[in-house]
């Protein structure tokens, strides 16, 4: 074994690669291994609709203090500077090192033909030397050629050390396959809407089947259906909140989840997900809620057709849904 291979083996061992490519990084969040070889915390703080000011700085700070190590931002959210300030402040005032944090940003649709510049702008706003995960935010409307040109710029940014892992968001199967045919570096994730009311099961399965992790946005359906009796009953059974039940469902089906909140108590509660487990009955009830309730405007119309639901009879903790087993 070469010195490099030994180093890699030691890193993988420390990262828990021998235990199903997962490791517990803190009391609140676990990591999974992407096809890029990098580990990603399975829970992130999402910062969509968070302002570029102290509100977001506080939210990110509270999240880090609660044990989150992953923030999901985007150029389009126009809050990268606030996120960057919170990161700089946290690194300065804690023992946590930059490589223990995981920062995501995204290329907006209008920038597909100038991705290299957009990446540099995001790095500057975030005040970072590198971004952990950078996504094409959506297929956009500049066409397939522009999308592939953007991807080549993302690949070049990986080569240049500006980005660790690259991926896509809101891509349908056809768009994924087109990219897979053209790419040198495979997308590590497809970030799509996924929650019990709109599991997006066919696209989830297609994404996983291609060796790409699913990141689930709007994992609490934007808070729109937390009062549903079925959810409340499961929450009461486990002594948890409805939001925690929806988030735990996402974790159990293998999604990387991105709950957003600007409220400290919710930020803290939304990460307390590793001290209970939904059983097969709970998963069956939750899977049956899939009514195609799509919250977001972006992304493929999706497929929550009854045909995409699966019986959880043999599904156990994953409720019968397909999961990524390795990268
Ligand atoms: N790639 C994409 O196209 C895309 C699209 C949408 C979202 N995303 C990402 O995914 C993240 C999450 O998605 P999202 O923001 O649409 O939806 P979400 O996380 O499902 O829901 C956020 C909403 O739920 C509320 N909330 C948070 N915790 C709660 C709790 N414990 N109890 C009750 N309500 C709670 C929040 O309010 P407060 O803030 O007031 O607490 C906010 O209104 C985004 O922030 C973004 O990072 C990506």
């Amino acid at each position: 074994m070469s010195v490099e291979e030994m180093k890699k083996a030691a890193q993988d061992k420390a990262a828990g690669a021998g235990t199903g490519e997962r490791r517990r990084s803190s009391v609140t969040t676990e990591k999974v291994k992407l096809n890029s070889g990098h580990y990603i915390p399975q829970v992130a703080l999402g910062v969509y609709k968070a302002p570029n000011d102290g509100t977001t700085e506080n939210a990110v700070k509270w999240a880090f203090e609660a044990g989150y190590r992953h923030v999901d931002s985007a150029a389009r959210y126009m809050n990268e500077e606030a996120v960057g300030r919170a990161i700089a402040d946290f690194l300065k005032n804690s023992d946590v090192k930059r490589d223990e944090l995981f920062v995501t940003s995204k290329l907006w649709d209008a920038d597909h033909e100038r991705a290299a510049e957009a990446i540099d702008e995001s790095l500057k706003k975030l005040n970072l030397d590198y971004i952990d995960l950078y996504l094409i935010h959506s297929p956009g409307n500049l066409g397939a050629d522009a999308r592939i040109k953007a991807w080549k710029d993302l690949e070049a940014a990986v080569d240049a050390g500006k980005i660790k892992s690259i991926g896509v968001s809101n891509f349908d199967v056809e768009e994924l396959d087109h990219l897979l045919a053209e790419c040198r570096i495979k997308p590590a994730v497809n970030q799509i809407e996924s929650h019990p009311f709109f599991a997006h099961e066919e696209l989830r399965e297609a994404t996983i089947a291609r060796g790409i992790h699913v990141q689930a946005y709007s994992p609490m359906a934007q808070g729109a259906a937390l009062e549903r009796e079925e959810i409340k009953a499961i929450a009461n059974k486990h002594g948890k909140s409805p939001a925690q039940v929806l988030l735990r469902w996402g974790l159990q089906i293998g999604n990387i989840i991105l709950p957003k909140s600007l409220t400290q108590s919710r930020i803290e509660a939304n990460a307390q997900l590793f001290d209970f487990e939904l059983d097969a009955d709970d998963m069956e009830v939750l899977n049956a809620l899939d009514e195609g309730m799509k919250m977001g405007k972006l992304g493929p119309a999706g497929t929550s057709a009854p045909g995409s639901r699966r019986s959880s009879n043999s599904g156990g903790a994953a409720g019968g849904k397909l999961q990524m087993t390795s990268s």
Side-chain angles (χ1 to χ4, degrees):
M1 207 189 259
S2 71
V3 175
E4 274 319 298
E5 282 167 341
M6 279 194 291
K7 260 197 215 162
K8 174 83 178 45
Q11 279 167 358
D12 278 354
K13 194 173 173 212
T19 55
E21 304 294 352
R22 252 165 219 282
R23 65 172 163 165
R24 190 170 291 271
S25 65
S26 75
V27 290
T28 56
T29 179
E30 294 199 0
K31 293 188 179 188
V32 293
K33 192 177 184 184
L34 298 173
N35 63 23
S36 60
H38 295 287
Y39 283 83
I40 183 169
Q42 210 186 343
V43 182
L45 179 74
V47 291
Y48 177 45
K49 293 188 180 161
N52 197 22
D53 62 20
T55 311
T56 298
E57 284 174 56
N58 277 334
V60 174
K61 187 184 89 166
W62 291 329
F64 287 154
E65 287 171 358
Y68 291 73
R69 292 292 177 263
H70 177 182
V71 184
D72 182 84
S73 184
R76 183 64 173 175
Y77 303 165
M78 292 186 283
N79 56 22
E80 289 168 303
E81 284 141 324
V83 171
R85 285 192 295 272
I87 291 169
D89 194 53
F90 183 67
L91 291 176
K92 193 170 147 214
N93 295 306
S94 73
D95 293 333
V96 173
K97 302 280 176 285
R98 167 67 184 93
D99 65 5
E100 295 170 61
L101 300 181
F102 194 102
V103 184
T104 300
S105 194
K106 312 185 190 91
L107 176 74
W108 184 236
D109 298 359
D111 292 331
H112 284 188
E113 285 169 334
R114 56 178 297 282
E117 291 94 320
I119 290 165
D120 286 343
E121 286 161 13
S122 281
L123 279 166
K124 197 166 170 209
K125 287 181 179 167
L126 288 161
N127 192 20
L128 295 176
D129 296 332
Y130 67 89
I131 294 169
D132 293 275
L133 176 65
Y134 191 78
L135 311 180
I136 295 187
H137 201 139
S138 96
N141 53 18
L142 295 182
D145 288 349
R147 217 156 56 223
I148 298 303
K149 179 183 180 315
W151 190 257
K152 303 280 172 210
D153 282 356
L154 266 60
E155 290 176 332
V158 173
D159 295 341
K162 295 178 181 182
I163 302 175
K164 300 278 186 200
S165 303
I166 51 181
V168 297
S169 177
N170 296 303
F171 272 40
D172 66 18
V173 181
E174 201 180 316
E175 288 150 353
L176 276 182
D177 283 342
H178 181 244
L179 177 58
L180 286 170
E182 300 284 334
C183 69
R184 177 167 59 83
I185 302 176
K186 198 171 159 171
V189 306
N190 189 15
Q191 185 177 124
I192 56 175
E193 181 170 339
S194 180
H195 46 75
F197 305 99
F198 180 59
H200 225 148
E201 197 50 22
E202 287 181 12
L203 183 54
R204 269 187 25 70
E205 289 189 6
T207 298
I208 293 165
R210 286 158 178 74
I212 299 167
H213 266 92
V214 172
Q215 282 193 307
Y217 69 71
S218 308
M220 295 172 287
Q222 299 181 344
L226 295 170
E227 293 304 312
R228 288 280 293 259
E229 288 306 324
E230 301 93 323
I231 310 271
K232 284 205 281 190
I234 296 172
N236 289 340
K237 173 174 152 186
H238 293 280
K240 288 285 178 177
S241 71
Q244 287 168 323
V245 168
L246 297 191
L247 295 173
R248 181 71 208 181
W249 172 90
L251 290 182
Q252 285 188 206
I253 66 165
N255 288 345
I256 296 160
I257 57 170
L258 319 167
K260 177 261 173 184
S261 178
L262 297 176
T263 314
Q264 185 170 13
S265 56
R266 287 174 171 179
I267 290 169
E268 290 169 0
N270 292 347
Q272 301 301 316
L273 305 172
F274 295 97
D275 55 357
F276 77 114
E277 184 163 312
L278 301 169
D279 61 31
D281 291 343
D282 302 330
M283 292 303 282
E284 188 167 359
V285 170
L286 292 165
N287 289 341
L289 294 174
D290 194 337
E291 300 155 351
M293 191 177 87
K294 185 174 186 303
M295 306 302 298
K297 291 194 195 88
L298 290 176
T303 45
S304 280
S308 70
R309 290 184 210 153
R310 295 173 168 208
S311 160
S312 62
N313 289 342
S314 59
K321 290 188 187 288
L322 187 67
Q323 277 197 300
M324 197 83 160
T325 49
S326 73
S327 54

